[in-house]
Amino acid sequence: MLDRPRREVSAIVRRLLAVTEKVRERCPDVTDTLFVRPSLVYYELRFGRWDSNMQGHRFTDWLASVAVTVDGEAHIGRLRKSTKVEKAIVSGGRISVAADDHLEETFAGHYAQGTTLRILSGKVITTAQDHWFQQAVHGPTVISYDAAEVAENSERLQELGLDKEQADGIVQGELDMGVSPCKNPWDSPFIPPGELCAVAPLRCLECRNAWVLPSQLPQLLLFAQHLEKVRRRLDPKTFTRLWGQSYVNLRAALDERTEEEKALAQKHIDAGDVSLDLPLSAHVEFDA
């Protein structure tokens, strides 16, 4: 655009020549460089060739004066690159914003690598993961013991986001999958849509369709006992890969119950009042 500063090399050089013209007139013997250095010698201002390594004028001297330490070589180019990295991060990777003092092509060619590239790539990957994680499995909805009456009230369940058919099915026990009811066993995230879920109850605690009710605490305790046996049988890496999310979600659900509630549930288990039916594969799984 015509109303914005021009960034072509020729335009920048012409502008620098105009800015430094008066100074270079005081130093006619220096003709092979654009910049010269003024200095005060016995109350007389003199101009000479610019020397970037002159004692007291180096980048390292400035770092020492402001008490800044850096790892590795103290090169002023690193300061500029660090500034560019910060601009890239703040701007969310928009080169048009980060390259605010030179051509966008220069930024892409000199700064969009290394740390900058890794940070921007990581941000893109994280954003994509967050998007898909929001579409993926979140885990069950756990009804607290204080809200136990909700599980017996279809209208209250509808207020929590279920439709009437789903709420009625949960209240009447028609959707009980073992460790929890399922609001829609025909919409499992583990199998193609429209097919009846084939992984319940083993994966119910990883499923967004599951609703864990207070009355199912005995089944949760039985499932916890099963997972503890599996955890002792498998190596940690394999167990985490196969059962890690179920184990974490199960522990979180159990942590919401008091010791008195767990003790009462265990009494029902010991009395043989409840059981947990698991598929045969759950009892023969090894490292494979």
mmCIF file of all heavy atoms in Angstrom, residues 194-216:
data_model
loop_
_atom_site.group_PDB
_atom_site.id
_atom_site.type_symbol
_atom_site.label_atom_id
_atom_site.label_comp_id
_atom_site.label_asym_id
_atom_site.label_seq_id
_atom_site.Cartn_x
_atom_site.Cartn_y
_atom_site.Cartn_z
ATOM 1 N N GLY A 194 -24.983 -47.087 14.553
ATOM 2 C CA GLY A 194 -26.110 -47.929 14.166
ATOM 3 C C GLY A 194 -25.974 -49.363 14.612
ATOM 4 O O GLY A 194 -26.951 -50.117 14.545
ATOM 5 N N GLU A 195 -24.775 -49.765 15.068
ATOM 6 C CA GLU A 195 -24.576 -51.128 15.554
ATOM 7 C C GLU A 195 -24.632 -51.134 17.078
ATOM 8 O O GLU A 195 -24.207 -50.186 17.734
ATOM 9 C CB GLU A 195 -23.234 -51.684 15.077
ATOM 10 C CG GLU A 195 -23.127 -51.824 13.565
ATOM 11 C CD GLU A 195 -21.809 -52.455 13.155
ATOM 12 O OE1 GLU A 195 -21.114 -53.006 14.036
ATOM 13 O OE2 GLU A 195 -21.474 -52.385 11.951
ATOM 14 N N LEU A 196 -25.144 -52.228 17.636
ATOM 15 C CA LEU A 196 -25.238 -52.357 19.089
ATOM 16 C C LEU A 196 -23.833 -52.442 19.685
ATOM 17 O O LEU A 196 -22.972 -53.164 19.169
ATOM 18 C CB LEU A 196 -26.043 -53.597 19.462
ATOM 19 C CG LEU A 196 -26.246 -53.847 20.956
ATOM 20 C CD1 LEU A 196 -27.062 -52.712 21.581
ATOM 21 C CD2 LEU A 196 -26.929 -55.192 21.184
ATOM 22 N N CYS A 197 -23.599 -51.713 20.763
ATOM 23 C CA CYS A 197 -22.275 -51.665 21.385
ATOM 24 C C CYS A 197 -21.834 -53.072 21.772
ATOM 25 O O CYS A 197 -22.565 -53.812 22.441
ATOM 26 C CB CYS A 197 -22.303 -50.769 22.620
ATOM 27 S SG CYS A 197 -20.698 -50.642 23.430
ATOM 28 N N ALA A 198 -20.616 -53.414 21.367
ATOM 29 C CA ALA A 198 -20.100 -54.760 21.617
ATOM 30 C C ALA A 198 -18.985 -54.769 22.656
ATOM 31 O O ALA A 198 -18.382 -55.814 22.897
ATOM 32 C CB ALA A 198 -19.584 -55.362 20.310
ATOM 33 N N VAL A 199 -18.704 -53.632 23.280
ATOM 34 C CA VAL A 199 -17.577 -53.572 24.220
ATOM 35 C C VAL A 199 -18.035 -53.307 25.652
ATOM 36 O O VAL A 199 -17.208 -53.163 26.544
ATOM 37 C CB VAL A 199 -16.558 -52.496 23.788
ATOM 38 C CG1 VAL A 199 -15.947 -52.854 22.460
ATOM 39 C CG2 VAL A 199 -17.218 -51.112 23.735
ATOM 40 N N ALA A 200 -19.349 -53.228 25.877
ATOM 41 C CA ALA A 200 -19.849 -53.052 27.244
ATOM 42 C C ALA A 200 -19.764 -54.391 27.968
ATOM 43 O O ALA A 200 -19.961 -55.451 27.362
ATOM 44 C CB ALA A 200 -21.289 -52.550 27.206
ATOM 45 N N PRO A 201 -19.492 -54.378 29.275
ATOM 46 C CA PRO A 201 -19.252 -53.207 30.136
ATOM 47 C C PRO A 201 -17.782 -52.824 30.258
ATOM 48 O O PRO A 201 -17.428 -51.949 31.050
ATOM 49 C CB PRO A 201 -19.788 -53.693 31.479
ATOM 50 C CG PRO A 201 -19.415 -55.148 31.488
ATOM 51 C CD PRO A 201 -19.558 -55.625 30.075
ATOM 52 N N LEU A 202 -16.896 -53.457 29.479
ATOM 53 C CA LEU A 202 -15.461 -53.243 29.651
ATOM 54 C C LEU A 202 -15.049 -51.802 29.358
ATOM 55 O O LEU A 202 -14.121 -51.279 29.975
ATOM 56 C CB LEU A 202 -14.670 -54.211 28.758
ATOM 57 C CG LEU A 202 -14.862 -55.696 29.056
ATOM 58 C CD1 LEU A 202 -14.042 -56.537 28.088
ATOM 59 C CD2 LEU A 202 -14.462 -55.997 30.492
ATOM 60 N N ARG A 203 -15.722 -51.160 28.407
ATOM 61 C CA ARG A 203 -15.327 -49.802 28.006
ATOM 62 C C ARG A 203 -16.337 -48.743 28.417
ATOM 63 O O ARG A 203 -16.245 -47.595 27.979
ATOM 64 C CB ARG A 203 -15.125 -49.744 26.487
ATOM 65 C CG ARG A 203 -14.023 -50.647 25.974
ATOM 66 C CD ARG A 203 -12.693 -50.290 26.577
ATOM 67 N NE ARG A 203 -11.647 -51.248 26.201
ATOM 68 C CZ ARG A 203 -10.432 -51.246 26.725
ATOM 69 N NH1 ARG A 203 -10.116 -50.350 27.644
ATOM 70 N NH2 ARG A 203 -9.554 -52.140 26.343
ATOM 71 N N CYS A 204 -17.281 -49.113 29.250
ATOM 72 C CA CYS A 204 -18.304 -48.138 29.642
ATOM 73 C C CYS A 204 -17.697 -46.929 30.352
ATOM 74 O O CYS A 204 -18.184 -45.800 30.203
ATOM 75 C CB CYS A 204 -19.343 -48.798 30.547
ATOM 76 S SG CYS A 204 -20.445 -49.952 29.675
ATOM 77 N N LEU A 205 -16.652 -47.145 31.121
ATOM 78 C CA LEU A 205 -16.059 -46.046 31.880
ATOM 79 C C LEU A 205 -15.188 -45.143 31.013
ATOM 80 O O LEU A 205 -14.570 -44.216 31.507
ATOM 81 C CB LEU A 205 -15.256 -46.593 33.045
ATOM 82 C CG LEU A 205 -16.125 -47.210 34.151
ATOM 83 C CD1 LEU A 205 -15.275 -47.948 35.161
ATOM 84 C CD2 LEU A 205 -16.954 -46.135 34.832
ATOM 85 N N GLU A 206 -15.125 -45.430 29.721
ATOM 86 C CA GLU A 206 -14.449 -44.535 28.779
ATOM 87 C C GLU A 206 -15.439 -43.900 27.816
ATOM 88 O O GLU A 206 -15.032 -43.201 26.895
ATOM 89 C CB GLU A 206 -13.410 -45.326 27.970
ATOM 90 C CG GLU A 206 -12.317 -45.966 28.798
ATOM 91 C CD GLU A 206 -11.359 -46.783 27.934
ATOM 92 O OE1 GLU A 206 -11.128 -46.389 26.777
ATOM 93 O OE2 GLU A 206 -10.866 -47.813 28.412
ATOM 94 N N CYS A 207 -16.719 -44.148 28.026
ATOM 95 C CA CYS A 207 -17.732 -43.776 27.041
ATOM 96 C C CYS A 207 -18.554 -42.573 27.496
ATOM 97 O O CYS A 207 -18.997 -42.508 28.642
ATOM 98 C CB CYS A 207 -18.654 -44.968 26.781
ATOM 99 S SG CYS A 207 -19.892 -44.653 25.507
ATOM 100 N N ARG A 208 -18.783 -41.659 26.587
ATOM 101 C CA ARG A 208 -19.589 -40.471 26.889
ATOM 102 C C ARG A 208 -21.054 -40.797 27.062
ATOM 103 O O ARG A 208 -21.831 -39.987 27.567
ATOM 104 C CB ARG A 208 -19.413 -39.453 25.758
ATOM 105 C CG ARG A 208 -19.855 -39.973 24.398
ATOM 106 C CD ARG A 208 -19.782 -38.889 23.336
ATOM 107 N NE ARG A 208 -20.133 -39.399 22.016
ATOM 108 C CZ ARG A 208 -19.260 -39.808 21.115
ATOM 109 N NH1 ARG A 208 -17.977 -39.757 21.405
ATOM 110 N NH2 ARG A 208 -19.635 -40.269 19.938
ATOM 111 N N ASN A 209 -21.494 -41.993 26.618
ATOM 112 C CA ASN A 209 -22.900 -42.372 26.741
ATOM 113 C C ASN A 209 -23.240 -42.952 28.105
ATOM 114 O O ASN A 209 -24.411 -43.163 28.413
ATOM 115 C CB ASN A 209 -23.264 -43.400 25.662
ATOM 116 C CG ASN A 209 -23.264 -42.799 24.271
ATOM 117 O OD1 ASN A 209 -23.523 -41.618 24.100
ATOM 118 N ND2 ASN A 209 -22.935 -43.611 23.270
ATOM 119 N N ALA A 210 -22.211 -43.263 28.904
ATOM 120 C CA ALA A 210 -22.456 -43.937 30.189
ATOM 121 C C ALA A 210 -22.872 -42.935 31.257
ATOM 122 O O ALA A 210 -22.342 -41.829 31.334
ATOM 123 C CB ALA A 210 -21.200 -44.679 30.627
ATOM 124 N N TRP A 211 -23.835 -43.361 32.102
ATOM 125 C CA TRP A 211 -24.291 -42.574 33.245
ATOM 126 C C TRP A 211 -24.129 -43.447 34.491
ATOM 127 O O TRP A 211 -24.859 -44.426 34.661
ATOM 128 C CB TRP A 211 -25.758 -42.155 33.061
ATOM 129 C CG TRP A 211 -25.903 -41.034 32.080
ATOM 130 C CD1 TRP A 211 -25.553 -41.055 30.761
ATOM 131 C CD2 TRP A 211 -26.414 -39.726 32.340
ATOM 132 N NE1 TRP A 211 -25.811 -39.844 30.171
ATOM 133 C CE2 TRP A 211 -26.339 -39.004 31.114
ATOM 134 C CE3 TRP A 211 -26.920 -39.102 33.464
ATOM 135 C CZ2 TRP A 211 -26.759 -37.692 31.008
ATOM 136 C CZ3 TRP A 211 -27.347 -37.785 33.346
ATOM 137 C CH2 TRP A 211 -27.256 -37.088 32.145
ATOM 138 N N VAL A 212 -23.172 -43.107 35.320
ATOM 139 C CA VAL A 212 -22.877 -43.897 36.511
ATOM 140 C C VAL A 212 -23.766 -43.421 37.652
ATOM 141 O O VAL A 212 -23.700 -42.255 38.066
ATOM 142 C CB VAL A 212 -21.395 -43.778 36.901
ATOM 143 C CG1 VAL A 212 -21.110 -44.602 38.157
ATOM 144 C CG2 VAL A 212 -20.505 -44.248 35.745
ATOM 145 N N LEU A 213 -24.596 -44.324 38.174
ATOM 146 C CA LEU A 213 -25.545 -43.991 39.232
ATOM 147 C C LEU A 213 -25.031 -44.463 40.588
ATOM 148 O O LEU A 213 -24.244 -45.417 40.671
ATOM 149 C CB LEU A 213 -26.894 -44.644 38.943
ATOM 150 C CG LEU A 213 -27.496 -44.365 37.557
ATOM 151 C CD1 LEU A 213 -28.822 -45.089 37.426
ATOM 152 C CD2 LEU A 213 -27.659 -42.874 37.329
ATOM 153 N N PRO A 214 -25.461 -43.837 41.666
ATOM 154 C CA PRO A 214 -25.022 -44.255 43.003
ATOM 155 C C PRO A 214 -25.342 -45.708 43.315
ATOM 156 O O PRO A 214 -24.583 -46.379 44.014
ATOM 157 C CB PRO A 214 -25.792 -43.295 43.925
ATOM 158 C CG PRO A 214 -26.064 -42.091 43.087
ATOM 159 C CD PRO A 214 -26.284 -42.610 41.702
ATOM 160 N N SER A 215 -26.437 -46.221 42.790
ATOM 161 C CA SER A 215 -26.837 -47.593 43.080
ATOM 162 C C SER A 215 -25.897 -48.619 42.472
ATOM 163 O O SER A 215 -25.954 -49.805 42.829
ATOM 164 C CB SER A 215 -28.264 -47.832 42.574
ATOM 165 O OG SER A 215 -28.333 -47.625 41.164
ATOM 166 N N GLN A 216 -25.030 -48.188 41.558
ATOM 167 C CA GLN A 216 -24.127 -49.127 40.900
ATOM 168 C C GLN A 216 -22.734 -49.138 41.518
ATOM 169 O O GLN A 216 -21.801 -49.670 40.926
ATOM 170 C CB GLN A 216 -24.033 -48.788 39.412
ATOM 171 C CG GLN A 216 -25.339 -49.097 38.683
ATOM 172 C CD GLN A 216 -25.396 -48.455 37.322
ATOM 173 O OE1 GLN A 216 -25.057 -47.290 37.165
ATOM 174 N NE2 GLN A 216 -25.832 -49.230 36.342
#
